[in-house]
Amino acid sequence: MTLAPPAHERGVTTLTLDSPANRNALSARLVEELADALDACAPDDAVRAVVLTHTGNTFCAGADLTAPPDPHDLVALMRRVVALPKPVVARVTGHVRAGGLGLLAACDISAAGPDASFALTESRLGLAPAVISLPLLPRLDPRAAARYYLTGERFDATEAARIGLVSLATADDVDKALVPVLDGLRRASPQGLAASKELVTATVLDDFDQHSEDLIARSAALFASDDAREGMTAFLERRDPAWRL
């Protein structure tokens, strides 16, 4: 199983990434299942909001290097989250890496707990956070984006909130922190939520429509490069790549 059966409570549908064998990495199958689940939520009048969460100690480890999704499908998934006429709330209690940050950034609201950690590791693999920049760069403080895009350093939930990646960080229980958020969404009208979300996502959707093909091509060229082959081989073999100083 890669996506647990949806759970419903008072207008909130919870979608749970449930592929612990690969740390909830974005495989072709998981991308397809999550896209189908979001499509089912969109027209459902019983769904006021969607919570996206995970099992295990990892929210999402990025793209699955052994069964990767088509880049167009990954872009379409992130765009679905942004364009969904229901708020999408990320609940993060574990690690988020590489492409997982794109999925997180596509969500409207996000909460992370004390065990959460984040890293954009692409540069260490000879790659770049190309397609995930579409939802990610509009969220991030520009100086922080430059630092973490380039260095691949790991950072915690407090830093993620400071730089705009998550909406709130808590040193306590994430579910407790989300109570007022979900209460607010339940108090809002479906029309009000859809119209308000449309306002705050308009420029992001424009970027998807204008730049996704260029970024997909750029990503494909990087993946086909010698540096990427060495970086991914080194990662899978648990060794330093040849360029490590």
Side-chain angles (χ1 to χ4, degrees):
M1 181 179 294
T2 54
L3 189 69
H8 309 275
E9 183 183 2
R10 292 180 52 217
V12 175
T13 293
T14 298
L15 303 178
T16 302
L17 307 182
D18 186 22
S19 183
N22 68 353
R23 299 188 302 149
N24 293 321
L26 293 167
S27 63
R29 180 181 172 189
L30 178 56
V31 166
E32 180 182 6
E33 289 182 3
L34 186 52
D36 289 345
L38 291 168
D39 286 347
C41 290
D44 190 343
D45 292 339
V47 178
R48 186 68 51 85
V50 175
V51 169
L52 182 62
T53 189
H54 61 100
T55 58
N57 65 1
T58 303
F59 174 79
C60 180
D64 186 342
L65 299 181
T66 62
D70 184 285
H72 289 86
D73 293 338
L74 178 56
V75 169
L77 173 64
M78 294 187 295
R79 194 186 189 285
R80 263 186 184 85
V81 176
V82 177
L84 196 77
K86 317 285 175 83
V88 181
V89 179
R91 174 189 175 276
V92 181
T93 61
H95 310 303
V96 192
R97 297 290 183 268
L101 274 75
L103 182 61
L104 174 63
C107 297
D108 303 289
I109 302 170
S110 51
D115 295 325
S117 73
F118 309 84
L120 289 157
T121 53
E122 287 89 343
S123 66
R124 299 185 180 192
L125 298 175
L127 302 168
V131 296
I132 65 170
S133 289
L134 291 163
L136 193 55
L137 286 180
R139 301 283 191 198
L140 294 183
D141 170 83
R143 300 300 289 177
R147 174 180 176 177
Y148 294 118
Y149 266 47
L150 294 171
T151 68
E153 293 171 88
R154 187 173 69 175
F155 53 95
D156 63 13
T158 300
E159 176 71 351
R162 185 190 73 80
I163 67 177
L165 176 62
V166 300
S167 309
L168 60 101
T170 177
D172 196 5
D173 182 11
V174 173
D175 293 316
K176 183 178 179 181
L178 281 174
V179 167
V181 172
L182 298 180
D183 181 62
L185 297 178
R186 288 180 171 116
R187 290 173 181 270
S189 84
Q191 175 178 284
L193 289 174
S196 296
K197 176 167 178 173
E198 193 173 303
L199 290 172
V200 298
T201 59
T203 57
V204 179
L205 290 175
D206 285 345
D207 282 346
F208 268 90
D209 295 337
Q210 292 180 39
H211 304 302
S212 61
E213 288 300 325
D214 172 65
L215 289 171
I216 288 170
R218 201 179 308 187
S219 178
L222 286 168
F223 268 97
S225 68
D226 290 339
D227 266 17
R229 278 191 288 274
E230 167 62 11
M232 289 186 285
T233 300
F235 174 78
L236 293 172
E237 294 178 351
R238 299 181 182 273
R239 61 170 175 81
D240 286 334
W243 58 74
R244 173 72 161 88
L245 298 176

